Amino acid sequence: MTVRCDRLLLDCTLATLSGDSGYGLVEHAAIGWRGGTIVFAGPMRELPAEPEAFALASESVHGALVTPGLVDCHTHLVFGGERADEFEQRLEGASYEAIARAGGGILSTVRATRAASEARLLEQSLPRAQALLRDGVTTVEVKSGYGLNLETEMKMLRVARRIGRTLGISVRTTFLGLHALPPEFADRRADFVAAASDEWLPAVAGGRLADAVDAFCEGIAFTPEEARRFFESARGLGLPVKLHADQLSNLGGAALAAAFDGLSADHLEWTDEAGVEAMARAGSVAVLLPGSFYALRETRSPPIAGFREHGVPMAVATDLNPGTSPLRSLRLAMNMACTLFGLTPEEALRGATANAARALGLGDRGVLAQGRRADLVVWHARRPAELAYWIGDTLAARVFAGGAELPA
Ligand code: NIG
Ligand code: FE
């Protein structure tokens, strides 16, 4: 019996990313889908029927590279205002930590985010998601964490979900309950951690506003014990965890995330061998964020060789945020992961597709294969390495999400 597709692209250079390594390259390939699901991805000669009989609409892409839709698995793209003033201060020698301790940093964005109406927050945040989409991102994770009270955290998460509906892309939301200590809880750390863990988290979960939780475990943020308390509450509610771990110092964050079977631990510049091994055992993904490494002019790279040796899957994300990574291009993050951390272009592409999907707990995307979501990108490129190679501007020619072509 002939399976019919709604759409069929012919003469593709497919990078399927299926299998554990390699691009999964198929030349002279076709990809077809029905509804939102791929029904064929393989060599044209293996098509079960003539294109006209097999698909309602078929067209050649003349050898263009086709990949899974990119997945940006770590962003903070919903926020009010910007922090270009801190960029200037850092260029004059102030450190990120010093700015944060003086009440700037995350707390300055908290003030702007609390002050913004929901409509204004959407208006400010939408172009950032649009920029990612324009260069091939069809799934984006968005964290809260600039509210630090229930009302504003929920406002951020609602805006994130609305961005997905408005643009036609998938948005996964993460409740970043422990990001910074807000002024009204100064000297009341334990009360803040209790409120975030026992009141706000259940409310967010009850409103079905979060797919996962996250915390910032760092000297200038929260201790491993505080993060553990928060994670225990998440576990009780059945929400998976992610962690900002070992970015500026080694507090054992990678091992902590692994102890909770974390979907991922993110940043990881200071992660040691024990942390890498714990992640390998737990199957947690190492999310690399070269944008913040670059913007903060960090010098210590995450333990890439250790991740490879122990088989820890690596993902690459923008960390798009107003302080440490005002980076609106996942492809540029891929380029930086190669240039700054030594990833291969193949690891970078897997890190922005298959492994990024895994860091979000999404088994239905990130590779091009029968039965997976029809999220795919046709590129102005022929070789997969070009995606990490070209710097600046966009390279995506056409973007399909859930089978629908999105306006450029
Ligand atoms: O991922 N590390 C904590 N959160 C962000 C920075 C947030 C900010 O400075 O606004 C990050 O780097
Ligand atoms: Fe982050």
Side-chain angles (χ1 to χ4, degrees), residues 7 45 61 74 81 94 127 150 162 164 199 204 211 274 295 350 352 391:
R7 298 282 293 263
R45 61 172 190 283
V61 299
H74 180 142
L150 180 58
R162 272 177 69 183
E199 293 173 35
V204 165
D211 302 302
R350 184 168 291 276
I391 303 172

Side-chain angles (χ1 to χ4, degrees), residues 5-364:
C5 303
D6 302 332
R7 298 282 293 263
L8 183 64
L9 303 182
L10 302 164
D11 304 306
C12 310
T13 303
L14 277 191
T16 63
L17 278 303
S18 52
D20 286 337
S21 66
Y23 288 118
L25 206 63
V26 190
E27 316 250 16
H28 308 292
I31 181 163
W33 58 94
R34 183 168 53 190
T37 306
I38 296 171
V39 297
F40 182 89
M44 287 206 288
R45 61 172 190 283
E46 290 178 14
L47 273 172
E50 291 302 309
E52 301 72 37
F54 187 55
L56 295 176
S58 63
E59 63 186 298
S60 169
V61 299
H62 309 290
L65 175 69
V66 178
T67 71
L70 303 187
V71 177
D72 194 347
C73 66
H74 180 142
T75 87
H76 310 247
L77 70 77
V78 171
F79 57 83
E82 40 72 28
R83 309 221 300 268
D85 55 337
E86 291 181 11
F87 176 54
E88 293 176 315
Q89 287 164 27
R90 286 206 310 277
L91 288 169
E92 284 165 11
S95 73
Y96 178 64
E97 287 97 326
I99 292 169
R101 290 190 198 284
I106 293 171
L107 290 182
S108 114
T109 299
V110 169
R111 289 188 287 275
T113 305
R114 286 181 178 179
S117 69
E118 193 158 331
R120 182 80 185 114
L121 198 56
L122 177 66
E123 189 181 289
Q124 291 193 344
S125 305
L126 199 58
R128 297 189 275 266
Q130 232 151 2
L132 295 175
L133 158 62
R134 213 176 296 128
D135 211 13
V137 172
T138 52
T139 300
V140 62
E141 184 258 17
V142 180
K143 300 176 195 296
S144 67
Y146 292 121
L148 308 180
N149 60 32
L150 180 58
E151 179 198 343
T152 316
E153 291 289 308
M154 286 189 141
K155 178 174 73 180
M156 290 183 71
L157 294 167
R158 281 194 305 268
V159 166
R161 291 267 166 98
R162 272 177 69 183
I163 287 173
R165 290 194 294 274
T166 307
L167 296 181
I169 59 174
S170 301
V171 168
R172 301 293 285 182
T173 51
T174 301
F175 175 50
L176 175 49
L178 302 188
H179 198 196
L181 194 65
E184 62 275 18
F185 280 93
D187 305 321
R188 291 198 295 133
R189 296 186 65 86
D191 290 348
F192 177 77
V193 175
S197 306
D198 305 337
E199 293 173 35
W200 305 344
L201 177 49
V204 165
R208 298 193 166 281
L209 280 172
D211 302 302
V213 308
D214 194 349
F216 185 19
C217 183
E218 192 56 69
I220 52 169
F222 294 90
T223 66
E225 294 69 36
E226 290 164 337
R228 180 180 291 276
R229 165 105 163 70
F230 181 64
F231 281 178
E232 274 161 4
S233 173
R235 183 155 61 189
L237 293 162
L239 280 175
V241 311
K242 304 169 81 65
L243 187 68
H244 283 72
D246 309 333
Q247 180 188 11
L248 308 169
S249 60
N250 180 8
L251 296 182
L256 173 62
F260 283 82
D261 296 320
L263 286 174
S264 69
D266 304 40
H267 285 292
L268 305 171
E269 280 79 346
W270 288 80
T271 298
D272 58 18
E273 181 86 10
V276 174
E277 286 172 3
M279 289 182 68
R281 280 193 300 273
S284 302
V285 176
V287 177
L288 308 174
L289 304 169
S292 50
F293 176 92
Y294 163 82
L296 295 180
R297 290 198 271 193
E298 287 180 65
T299 52
R300 188 183 164 109
S301 268
I304 305 299
F307 294 141
R308 285 184 186 133
E309 188 188 326
H310 292 279
V312 176
M314 293 182 282
V316 176
T318 60
D319 196 13
L320 174 42
N321 78 66
T324 61
S325 192
L327 171 56
R328 302 156 71 117
S329 163
L330 182 53
R331 272 201 325 98
L332 183 49
M334 291 164 61
N335 171 270
M336 289 176 170
C338 295
T339 305
L340 301 175
F341 294 162
L343 264 64
T344 65
E346 179 199 313
E347 286 172 324
L349 181 56
R350 184 168 291 276
T353 53
N355 289 352
R358 182 166 164 183
L360 297 177
L362 296 172
D364 64 345

